[in-house]
Amino acid sequence: MAPIVSVSNLSKTYASGFEALKGVSLDIEEGEILALLGPNGAGKTTLISIICGIVNPSGGEVTVNGYDVVREFRETRAMIGLVPQELTTDAFETVWNTVSFSRGLHGRKPDPTHIEKVLKDLSLWDKKDNVLRELSGGMKRRVLIAKALSHEPRVLFLDEPTAGVDVSLRKSMWEVVERLRASGVTIILTTHYIEEAEEIADRIAVINGGEILLVEEKAALMTKLGRKQLRVDLAQPIEEVPQTLLSYKLSLEENGQCLIYDYDTSAERTGITALLAALAEAGIRLRDISTRQSSLEDIFVEIVEAGQ
Ligand SMILES: Nc1ncnc2c1ncn2[C@@H]1O[C@H](COP(=O)(O)OP(=O)(O)OP(=O)(O)O)[C@@H](O)[C@H]1O
Ligand SMILES: [Mg+2]
């Protein structure tokens, strides 16, 4: 199946001369949730803005469902919904009008039933007659999401949708995202809450310095790069790691009370059995052992640091 969004060799140099994207290529499959992760200034918003037709590319090509985002702007715009990172709303317009008007802007006929459903899904129904300046920050963000959903897009971009949003609203927003996915909508999101990406995304792309460092199925990424840590609590503190154990590259922590052993879950041998035997041989008695699986956050930090 052809990808719904295809980005090829995309570059962007801003008027200031800053090169924000350096030859980015990325295919997004219909119906998937792709999380775009990267530190501040990585180029996430620039990439999304070009796909959505808000920023012009300096080079390369982007198509949405086969239509070019520059030459066939009208077609691509109708298919795309964008929840922008920056809050820009018309302070004196009502919630209902803002969201209904947005549908019209995307060339769709009025559909009050759909607008009502969107507002109810986002718990904005009781605010529909309020003007935007009367809403809280989190509610304004929900209005941006409602606007993006007003014209029933096939591809939805969420640029930091949960920044400044409280925990319960974040949960309900992700439920909306899940429902959209179930209805076949393709979703591309950026977030700095990596645990959210870990929970919701099918694939993860990591971008830094205007370059895609990695695109991978989340599950594969977790096992491929997933490391585990074995923590050994000692019955008695030790001053240094014994000579016979140097090959394990252990780190001695917590005033000599605890040894940490990093190992690779995909390695043929983790070395744990041999390590425990060597500890016994060295006369070190254990109080407890536990393991910890690295999270997507650890993996992310590792990739970004390795790329620098
Ligand atoms: N209009 C502009 N003119 C000049 N430089 C810009 C402009 N917009 C963005 N940049 C620069 O391009 C780089 C990428 O910015 P972008 O907003 O795409 O990053 P981001 O990954 O979305 O970061 P964040 O996580 O902070 O939202 C940054 O160094 C930024 O300063
Ligand atoms: Mg951004």
Side-chain angles (χ1 to χ4, degrees):
M1 204 172 65
I4 184 88
V5 177
S6 180
V7 177
S8 93
N9 202 21
L10 190 67
S11 63
K12 175 65 186 177
T13 305
Y14 281 107
S16 63
F18 187 85
E19 210 184 345
L21 295 179
K22 303 168 185 166
V24 167
S25 295
L26 178 65
D27 281 344
I28 300 165
E29 301 301 326
E30 180 140 38
E32 74 169 329
I33 299 188
L34 177 81
L36 194 55
L37 305 180
N40 289 136
K44 304 180 294 294
T45 298
T46 303
L47 174 59
I48 287 177
S49 302
I50 293 175
I51 302 173
C52 295
I54 295 167
V55 167
N56 280 323
S58 309
E61 197 181 48
V62 181
T63 60
V64 177
N65 199 25
Y67 294 98
D68 186 279
V69 296
V70 178
R71 290 192 309 273
E72 292 157 307
F73 177 70
R74 208 176 273 276
E75 282 84 356
T76 61
R77 185 177 165 81
M79 286 184 280
I80 289 176
L82 166 66
V83 179
Q85 182 172 16
E86 299 295 334
L87 295 169
T88 47
T89 47
D90 183 355
F92 297 98
E93 197 55 87
T94 64
V95 170
W96 176 270
N97 286 349
T98 302
V99 176
S100 304
F101 186 57
S102 184
R103 182 179 170 90
L105 279 182
H106 288 87
R108 303 290 299 253
K109 288 199 188 76
D111 184 348
T113 317
H114 176 68
I115 304 296
E116 178 174 339
K117 182 178 176 302
V118 167
L119 293 182
K120 284 184 173 165
D121 277 351
L122 291 160
S123 314
L124 281 170
W125 186 240
D126 60 335
K127 298 284 179 191
K128 68 179 179 0
D129 300 318
N130 287 76
V131 299
L132 297 175
R133 69 184 171 97
E134 293 166 348
L135 304 183
S136 73
M139 290 171 188
K140 284 185 192 133
R141 196 163 282 283
R142 276 184 272 168
V143 172
L144 292 180
I145 299 172
K147 281 174 75 176
L149 296 178
S150 66
H151 60 287
E152 299 159 78
R154 277 177 73 178
V155 186
L156 179 66
F157 290 85
L158 298 155
D159 197 357
E160 298 286 335
T162 53
V165 164
D166 71 33
V167 179
S168 84
L169 178 56
R170 258 158 69 186
K171 266 191 79 181
S172 64
M173 277 179 41
W174 291 129
E175 282 162 20
V176 171
V177 168
E178 279 293 354
R179 256 177 282 148
L180 289 168
R181 187 240 291 264
S183 72
V185 176
T186 306
I187 295 158
I188 295 94
L189 62 97
T190 74
T191 177
H192 286 283
Y193 298 102
I194 296 180
E195 67 279 18
E196 287 180 346
E198 188 171 338
E199 201 160 308
I200 202 161
D202 301 308
R203 276 199 310 160
I204 308 276
V206 177
I207 181 170
N208 193 21
E211 288 173 305
I212 300 265
L213 300 182
L214 166 149
V215 190
E216 187 102 52
E217 299 283 332
K218 181 182 62 185
L221 182 63
M222 300 293 290
T223 36
K224 191 162 136 198
L225 293 167
R227 290 186 196 287
K228 267 189 155 183
Q229 242 179 22
L230 176 73
R231 178 193 163 100
V232 182
D233 289 302
L234 308 179
Q236 306 283 336
I238 55 173
E239 281 188 2
E240 58 182 12
V241 178
Q243 288 288 329
T244 51
L245 297 172
L246 286 183
S247 63
Y248 291 96
K249 300 192 175 63
L250 302 170
S251 64
L252 185 58
E253 293 177 11
E254 296 173 26
N255 298 321
Q257 307 225 33
C258 157
L259 285 167
I260 303 286
Y261 174 54
D262 282 311
Y263 63 97
D264 189 341
T265 49
S266 62
E268 207 165 296
R269 290 201 170 141
T270 60
I272 293 176
T273 317
L275 170 65
L276 293 178
L279 283 168
E281 200 149 296
I284 295 175
R285 287 182 37 239
L286 319 181
R287 201 165 56 79
D288 197 6
I289 55 176
S290 56
T291 61
R292 192 179 81 89
Q293 176 94 46
S294 57
S295 67
L296 183 57
E297 176 142 13
D298 301 328
I299 294 170
F300 169 70
V301 169
E302 203 169 299
I303 294 167
V304 169
E305 283 175 355
Q308 274 166 356

